[in-house]
Amino acid sequence: MRAKLYGTRGSIPAPGPETTRYGGNTPAVLVCAKNGALLVLDAGTGIRRLGAQLSAATTRVDILLTHLHMDHIQGLGFFPPIYDPAIDVHIWGPASSALPLEARLSRYLSPPLFPVHLRDLPRVTCHHVPRSKFDVGPFCILTSLVSHPGPTVGYRIEGDGGVIAYMSDHEPALCLRRGQWPGREWVSGFDLAVDADLLIHDAQYTDAEYERCVGWGHSSYRHAFEFAAYVGAKELVPFHHDPDHDDEKLDRLLSDEIRKVKPGFAVSPGCEGAVFEVGSP
Amino acid sequence: MAHPIQIILTRQLAGYLSVPTFLVDPNGKLLFYNEPAEILLGRRFDETGVMPAEEWSTVFAPIDAEGRPIQPEELPLMIALHKQRPACQRFFIRALNDVKRHLEVSAIPIHGVQGEFLGAVALFWELSD
């Protein structure tokens, strides 16, 4: 599998000369299998450019939404395949106790917030993510609800002999007991991330920022590193960068944490455009 | 395998409460009780550990105001488990440190966003006689 980051920013787009390397677009990640099958993880503003770069031969795209906060769906209306009658677009997302996924997405994809109704799109189908593993083409996908306000899932994607765990918005530190990680059955997201080859994980805050934002559903760099170590991930990509963190600050946060922790796994910066090969070549 | 996030967060919440709280899985297996419940029940959770419903529903020897034993299926937490509805009741227990306590217990089932049954939780309130 190949994963390419098209949007890595959390909360709100943050374009500007100070964010050119890490990028200003909100979450969107393209995962391609060797046979050409595609998954798109989240539909933040990065999905616009992602959509423009898809092959003309594409006939199906599956979009896996972690949740419906604006930064994860804002790009949906600007994703060209949803208007293309030759492409089947399947949108997967967490169920809620109140309304089906389509009705909740329609709150955004309808006037006055957007000129086009979701129901008028030619070949778009919405699905609630199953509570057990499911297959999309060559991908075997496991989801579970994770620690973040409102129904929010993480994804474990297995394919081509590799595993990608995608947990863009996740606060596993709420599971800590007196600062210690409890047994694995008490850690949010453990089953999704265990032994992943690539873990794309929330790292929105500094330690000081996290102290002011406990319960908001995000992680500090320290917590992302600790979680990666706890689950035995082979490579961590800090993700969902705070919009106030510029390139220089993100470089510093990453290098400081690596120096402090000396992780036993690889760490790569979550920059827009970064590409990761996972599984058998 | 990790517990559902609703159970993880319920345990986490219980850890921050002064209200005695008792958490079980869908089969009734005791998963956790918090420090205030440890005081009421007379033993630390680390010492009791997980416990099947058959054990926790009898080990505290619950009795009613007239001293009659309460059958396990009549306990609020068992009602929340088996009938999947809230239940509340006053009764006496004999704690594991042999102290008799008068409790009001409220129990609720825990259902996920799609209605899936994930377990139940009981809150204890000690009554002053």
Side-chain angles (χ1 to χ4, degrees):
Chain A
M1 290 184 288
R2 170 179 289 180
K4 182 172 181 180
L5 311 184
Y6 282 87
T8 65
R9 189 67 53 173
S11 305
I12 192 169
E18 68 282 3
T19 58
T20 51
R21 279 188 295 112
Y22 283 84
N25 282 302
T26 60
V29 176
L30 178 64
V31 178
C32 299
K34 280 195 292 191
N35 74 352
L38 304 176
L39 294 177
V40 176
L41 311 180
D42 276 325
T45 60
I47 201 175
R48 185 195 62 79
R49 185 158 171 269
L50 185 162
Q53 294 188 357
L54 292 180
S55 157
T58 301
T59 58
R60 172 174 176 144
V61 179
D62 289 79
I63 301 172
L64 309 183
L65 301 176
T66 54
H67 62 309
L68 273 59
H69 284 167
M70 200 60 182
D71 51 328
H72 294 258
I73 63 170
Q74 193 174 3
L76 204 50
F78 301 89
F79 184 54
I82 65 172
Y83 302 103
D84 190 334
I87 301 179
D88 284 314
V89 177
H90 296 267
I91 302 175
W92 303 79
S96 87
S97 56
L99 293 170
L101 179 64
E102 185 167 356
R104 285 177 288 137
L105 280 173
S106 293
R107 289 171 167 171
Y108 163 49
L109 287 173
S110 62
L113 295 181
F114 198 74
V116 181
H117 283 278
L118 179 60
R119 63 170 182 263
D120 294 333
L121 299 174
R123 295 175 71 169
V124 173
T125 310
C126 294
H127 312 266
H128 292 149
V129 288
R131 293 201 297 272
S132 55
K133 279 187 174 179
F134 63 106
D135 294 327
V136 173
F139 304 106
C140 179
I141 301 168
L142 175 68
T143 73
S144 73
L145 291 166
V146 295
S147 177
H148 186 73
T152 302
V153 294
Y155 291 99
R156 178 184 181 89
I157 300 155
E158 300 175 358
D160 294 343
V163 175
I164 297 172
Y166 178 71
M167 309 174 84
S168 65
D169 294 48
H170 186 215
E171 189 180 4
L174 280 184
C175 305
L176 290 171
R177 302 223 184 95
R178 299 182 181 90
Q180 301 297 311
W181 291 87
R184 56 179 55 185
E185 69 270 28
W186 294 102
V187 175
S188 167
F190 182 89
D191 294 343
L192 300 178
V194 60
D195 296 330
D197 296 298
L198 182 69
L199 170 61
I200 301 171
H201 194 278
D202 190 326
Q204 177 142 352
Y205 299 132
T206 65
D207 285 347
E209 289 166 343
Y210 180 76
E211 290 305 313
R212 296 193 297 270
C213 303
V214 172
W216 290 22
H218 299 291
S219 291
S220 65
Y221 264 70
R222 179 165 62 88
H223 291 145
F225 273 64
E226 287 181 2
F227 181 76
Y230 190 84
V231 300
K234 297 180 182 67
E235 182 170 8
L236 169 68
V237 178
F239 194 77
H240 204 272
H241 310 303
D242 190 278
D244 288 335
H245 292 176
D246 59 20
D247 289 341
E248 189 182 334
K249 180 159 188 168
L250 289 170
D251 282 343
R252 195 169 59 248
L253 283 170
L254 190 66
S255 60
D256 285 354
E257 201 61 37
I258 291 172
R259 192 170 54 247
K260 273 189 289 189
V261 174
K262 297 183 177 56
F265 47 85
V267 184
S268 300
C271 293
E272 249 183 63
V275 175
F276 302 91
E277 300 288 347
V278 177
S280 53
Chain B
M1 184 161 174
H3 295 295
I5 189 66
Q6 296 91 338
I7 297 299
I8 292 174
L9 293 177
T10 301
R11 174 171 179 159
Q12 191 64 13
L13 173 64
Y16 288 113
L17 296 179
S18 61
V19 179
T21 305
F22 195 96
L23 175 65
V24 299
D25 77 1
N27 298 316
K29 185 174 77 177
L30 168 65
L31 297 177
F32 177 67
Y33 56 82
N34 62 5
E35 288 183 6
E38 290 176 345
I39 295 169
L40 283 188
L41 301 177
R43 190 168 294 175
R44 298 188 61 230
F45 176 68
D46 287 345
E47 295 167 335
T48 57
V50 296
M51 195 187 281
E54 300 76 34
E55 190 173 347
W56 61 252
S57 61
T58 55
V59 73
F60 302 107
I63 55 171
D64 65 17
E66 279 72 47
R68 291 176 300 224
I70 298 175
Q71 296 306 306
E73 62 273 15
E74 297 176 280
L75 293 170
L77 191 52
M78 290 297 243
I79 293 171
L81 269 172
H82 294 138
K83 299 187 176 174
Q84 297 185 22
R85 64 169 175 80
C88 182
Q89 191 178 0
R90 292 181 176 195
F91 55 86
F92 293 84
I93 64 163
R94 178 72 62 184
L96 296 175
N97 56 1
D98 214 31
V99 174
K100 187 179 179 186
R101 296 191 183 277
H102 191 191
L103 303 179
E104 180 160 337
V105 178
S106 298
I108 58 166
I110 299 173
H111 290 282
V113 292
Q114 291 177 285
E116 66 275 28
F117 180 55
L118 303 171
V121 63
L123 306 180
F124 301 161
W125 197 262
E126 186 164 28
L127 300 167
S128 52
D129 293 319

